[in-house]
Amino acid sequence: MTTRLELANAIRALSMDAVQQANSGHPGAPMGMADIAEVLYNDFMSHNPQNPNWANRDRFVMSNGHASMLPYSVLHLTGYDLPMAELKNFRQLHSKTPGHPEYGYAPGIETTTGPLGQGLSNAVGMALAEKVLAAQFNKDGHAVVDHFTYTFLGDGCLMEGISHEACSLAGTLNLGKLICFYDDNGISIDGDVIGWFADDTPKRFEAYGWDVVANVDGHDADAIHAAVTQAQSNTDKPTLICCKTLIGKGAPNKEGGHDVHGAPLGVEEIAAVRENIGWKHEPFVIPDEIYAGWDAKAKGAAAEAAWNEKMAAYTAAYPAEAAELTRRMAGELPADWAAKADAAIAAIIEKGESPATRVCSKNALNGFAPLLPEFLGGSADLTPSNNTFHNTSVGINSMHGAEQDFTGNYISYGVREFGMSAIMNGIALHGGFIPYGATFLMFSEYARNALRMAALMKIRNIFVYTHDSIGLGEDGPTHQGVEQTATLRMMPNMSVWRPCDGVETALAWRAAIEKTTGPSCLVLTRQGLPFQQRTAAQIADIRRGGYILKDCEGTPDAIIIATGSEVQLAMGAAEQLSDKRVRVVSMPATDVFEAQDVAYRESVLPAAVTARVAVEAGVTGGWYRYVGLNGAVVGLDTFGESAPAKQLFEHFGFTVDNVAAAVRKVLS
């Protein structure tokens, strides 16, 4: 009879051997948490290795992602399509086992982790998505959305500030199906954490409103089992299980110390581990009886089959809801989306209004949201300023103190920009929703690493950033975005839209909704902007990211390129330069424009026209790509000032006269 310890030792052996072969990695945490993983996967996890995308599976997140050999080992042992060859290829080019878990590589990896604290925050998002989806779809006797979210985390995750943002909100929202295992081993890279992390973690989480199971022996299977059973029984609060463990458990000369954290054990110590734990097998050799003890394929298939029966009964009783749930979990837009979106945009064009683009954004939401029940919006305590609460929004946690309503579609995240963004990533990864969340553009800085993770994972997530420039005005340079739009554009896979009016704003929203290969940022103004008249062809070309808004007869003498609030200046300058042939190009999304074919890009920005001026109320560097070294950029390579917006634009040279003068200069 294979013992639990032998099953856990398989994780230890695979982890130390893979790290040794790669000559790189982190063996300590996988070896220390192996017993917890064994109990969780063999006693509690509901998952199907033969269908990693089963909608009602339990989610598992390795928040301390440097311990990646733990999930890789477990996925291999339980029967996922992750062969031993991939474990042998740990941390090597094009392997399915990169140094930190990456979404989209190994089956069963639910999110990309490594930047500490973000996996935990993603798990909060997954648990929140499960709770909202269950409230929206489950009926009496038909619990078709019903799963847990588990995460492993370490001291580093809890030291990161994002853990406070996310876990505070998780407690407030009573996410009772979130269960977190804290690897309390007291060690980080620098040594014993007591010198820099002396928090009373159980009291901290109790203060958040969590259930806490403290002082669990992380190497005692019975104690771990009892703790998880307790956690599952309390669905009113999330649970933190504090597991006392030895980092590098099993390494006789290194366990319990920081030397085992992030370096191979070495040949001699690995031999000592094998002797110490009684593991008599060669590297990467797992006996059949160990595989049999871990194999979850039959159990997983049975669990999914049982759920399929539930889903069949649900479909018979509630066919429309079942079809809708299936569609949403597949990430597909409604069948009538395109036609109805066209109609919503046509209505915006017909109105011809010219408010701030943050208001245009709300108008677009009012048109699109009724078509998309999967919209799950929110704001980091700036809802009235961001204009993200549309006409069909229903607050989950009301802004006015009412009872929580998880059938709703809008989250007040509180002042938690980083936490909000990482939670949104978790919501997107869970499935069933298209999340969007908002703050001021300046505070995208707080959230930057979560945006990068969304882009790295290529997930659909929509980040709404208002008050986009010195146009914010009197709040001053602490709140005025100068470099943010440019640096967001530098992020691979991220689309960044800075629209100039209601039509561009609506089409930016549509592009973000329809994009399934990465996230999008919508960069919006505080101040009102004029409505631009366009032909049907011009409107169609907005979706290409850059297009000719105003043209001239024949070959242009000069081209003015502008975005957002500065498009009106470009148009005014073109009118003033009546003695010249001037083309105005609106370029709301540079990445989208650059993805167009060469012929289209040449038709908009012909190489023969070298007299070019770009206009944007932000840093200038990126625009020389379009205007060349002999062109000019009317921009802002300094921080702003505190004053009314109109005065600031004049002070910093954002006037029609100045743009026209810049064009004349490049033509001279």
Side-chain angles (χ1 to χ4, degrees):
M1 179 71 178
T2 305
T3 67
R4 283 189 179 278
L5 182 57
E6 289 172 318
L7 296 177
N9 283 342
I11 297 175
R12 294 186 171 100
L14 287 171
S15 297
M16 69 180 183
D17 289 340
V19 171
Q20 185 67 28
Q21 177 147 313
N23 196 30
S24 172
H26 301 76
M31 296 174 73
M33 300 191 81
D35 301 299
I36 307 168
E38 189 279 322
V39 173
L40 176 62
Y41 269 85
N42 286 322
D43 293 2
F44 294 100
M45 276 288 289
S46 180
H47 65 117
N48 185 1
Q50 297 173 97
N51 183 11
N53 297 319
W54 170 34
N56 200 50
R57 68 192 181 278
D58 288 340
R59 270 58 169 183
F60 173 80
V61 174
M62 193 82 209
S63 187
N64 44 340
H66 54 271
S68 56
M69 270 310 303
L70 185 150
Y72 295 154
S73 299
V74 170
L75 292 169
H76 169 76
L77 291 166
T78 54
Y80 284 79
D81 184 17
L82 191 66
M84 186 66 80
E86 293 293 346
L87 274 61
K88 292 179 179 179
N89 209 25
F90 178 53
R91 287 183 163 233
Q92 304 309 302
L93 184 64
H94 302 316
S95 76
K96 293 183 178 180
T97 51
H100 292 80
E102 292 189 41
Y103 176 71
Y105 283 68
I109 296 297
E110 300 282 3
T111 181
T112 299
T113 57
L116 294 176
Q118 285 204 64
L120 170 58
S121 305
N122 295 165
V124 171
M126 293 174 188
L128 176 56
E130 190 273 346
K131 188 166 185 174
V132 176
L133 205 66
Q136 291 181 354
F137 283 96
N138 286 353
K139 307 291 184 183
D140 288 343
H142 296 276
V144 290
V145 180
D146 182 19
H147 69 78
F148 287 92
T149 299
Y150 300 100
T151 184
F152 284 6
L153 58 118
D155 294 298
C157 290
L158 295 182
M159 283 186 251
E160 290 286 0
I162 191 174
S163 71
H164 167 73
E165 295 184 29
C167 294
S168 169
L169 185 60
T172 302
L173 295 176
N174 304 301
L175 300 182
K177 297 175 83 173
L178 172 65
I179 299 175
C180 303
F181 297 83
Y182 166 34
D183 182 27
D184 184 9
N185 60 35
I187 295 294
S188 66
I189 293 175
D190 280 0
D192 296 338
V193 301
I194 192 64
W196 47 88
F197 185 57
D199 300 13
D200 189 331
T201 297
K203 287 185 179 177
R204 170 186 166 188
F205 275 77
E206 287 170 359
Y208 291 152
W210 287 52
D211 187 24
V212 177
V213 187
N215 296 312
V216 175
D217 183 343
H219 304 301
D220 182 335
D222 291 339
I224 298 164
H225 184 100
V228 180
T229 300
Q230 177 180 328
Q232 287 191 341
S233 69
N234 185 356
T235 56
D236 294 329
K237 294 180 178 181
T239 299
L240 181 73
I241 301 174
C242 300
C243 299
K244 294 289 186 181
T245 65
L246 270 176
I247 189 171
K249 173 72 171 174
N253 303 303
K254 293 188 176 183
E255 69 179 13
H258 68 96
D259 288 343
V260 76
H261 170 86
L265 296 180
V267 174
E268 291 184 4
E269 185 69 4
I270 285 177
V273 172
R274 281 186 154 78
E275 179 69 24
N276 187 41
I277 67 175
W279 190 262
K280 301 177 181 180
H281 317 292
E282 294 298 312
F284 302 107
V285 173
I286 303 294
D288 289 343
E289 62 270 21
I290 298 293
Y291 275 125
W294 273 103
D295 190 357
K297 293 192 291 294
K299 184 168 65 173
E304 184 172 357
W307 180 80
N308 286 338
E309 290 182 8
K310 285 186 178 181
M311 192 64 185
Y314 180 77
T315 301
Y318 302 98
E321 289 85 347
E324 181 69 359
L325 176 60
T326 300
R327 175 190 72 78
R328 285 172 54 173
M329 289 304 294
E332 298 171 353
L333 294 174
D336 58 356
W337 158 254
K340 289 186 175 180
D342 285 344
I345 292 169
I348 289 171
I349 295 169
E350 186 176 353
K351 285 184 178 179
E353 295 176 339
S354 58
T357 52
R358 62 172 176 155
V359 178
C360 296
S361 174
K362 182 170 184 175
N363 293 341
L365 282 170
N366 286 335
F368 293 148
L371 315 179
L372 296 170
E374 57 264 53
F375 253 178
L376 187 57
S379 172
D381 203 50
L382 287 169
T383 294
S385 295
N386 297 147
N387 283 288
T388 40
F389 198 82
H390 52 79
N391 289 346
T392 52
S393 289
V394 176
I396 286 169
N397 50 335
S398 171
M399 295 176 288
H400 305 291
E403 291 293 320
Q404 293 178 347
D405 179 4
F406 282 88
T407 65
N409 58 6
Y410 193 86
I411 305 161
S412 293
Y413 284 99
V415 187
R416 299 182 176 97
E417 296 89 355
F418 193 6
M420 173 183 72
S421 303
I423 288 168
M424 288 165 58
N425 285 346
I427 292 169
L429 289 160
H430 178 278
F433 296 100
I434 299 175
Y436 69 88
T439 185
F440 288 176
L441 175 63
M442 176 53 62
F443 304 128
S444 66
E445 295 289 350
Y446 282 140
R448 182 59 63 105
N449 202 255
L451 271 65
R452 186 176 187 272
M453 297 296 277
L456 183 62
M457 291 187 279
K458 302 178 182 178
I459 56 176
R460 177 166 50 189
N461 206 346
I462 304 173
F463 302 101
V464 181
Y465 296 126
T466 68
H467 298 63
D468 70 343
S469 71
I470 57 171
L472 181 146
E474 294 85 345
D475 277 343
T478 60
H479 285 53
Q480 293 166 2
V482 172
E483 73 276 24
Q484 284 67 37
T485 301
T487 56
L488 287 170
R489 288 182 181 130
M490 295 169 66
M491 199 175 293
N493 305 324
M494 178 71 77
S495 288
V496 180
W497 291 85
R498 187 168 185 254
C500 75
D501 68 356
V503 179
E504 285 191 1
T505 303
L507 285 162
W509 263 108
R510 182 172 184 175
I513 290 164
E514 294 178 354
K515 182 181 179 183
T516 58
T517 56
S520 300
C521 294
L522 307 183
V523 180
L524 308 170
T525 67
R526 178 195 183 196
Q527 72 275 22
L529 302 177
F531 183 86
Q532 301 293 341
Q533 296 294 332
R534 301 172 181 84
T535 65
Q538 287 174 310
I539 292 169
D541 283 342
I542 292 173
R543 297 184 68 182
R544 292 176 174 259
Y547 65 102
I548 300 168
L549 179 60
K550 178 180 173 60
D551 211 356
C552 56
E553 292 186 5
T555 302
D557 296 320
I559 298 174
I560 308 175
I561 309 166
T563 78
S565 51
E566 287 68 69
V567 168
Q568 62 180 315
L569 302 181
M571 294 291 280
E575 291 291 337
Q576 189 178 110
L577 295 162
S578 57
D579 58 320
K580 304 292 183 183
R581 296 189 298 272
V582 178
R583 171 180 292 180
V584 175
V585 171
S586 178
M587 193 175 289
T590 57
D591 68 292
V592 177
F593 178 73
E594 289 167 11
Q596 304 304 308
D597 59 78
V598 173
Y600 178 76
R601 284 182 280 132
E602 172 66 17
S603 72
V604 175
L605 296 176
V609 182
T610 59
R612 300 180 183 183
V613 174
V615 192
E616 185 173 66
V619 293
T620 62
W623 286 108
Y624 287 99
R625 175 175 189 153
Y626 298 99
V627 302
L629 295 180
N630 295 321
V633 181
V634 179
L636 190 67
D637 288 318
T638 183
F639 294 116
E641 298 281 353
S642 178
K646 186 175 185 298
Q647 292 180 22
L648 289 174
F649 278 113
E650 292 173 355
H651 173 73
F652 287 106
F654 292 99
T655 64
V656 169
D657 288 346
N658 197 39
V659 174
V663 174
R664 290 194 184 279
K665 186 173 181 179
V666 298
L667 284 170
S668 63

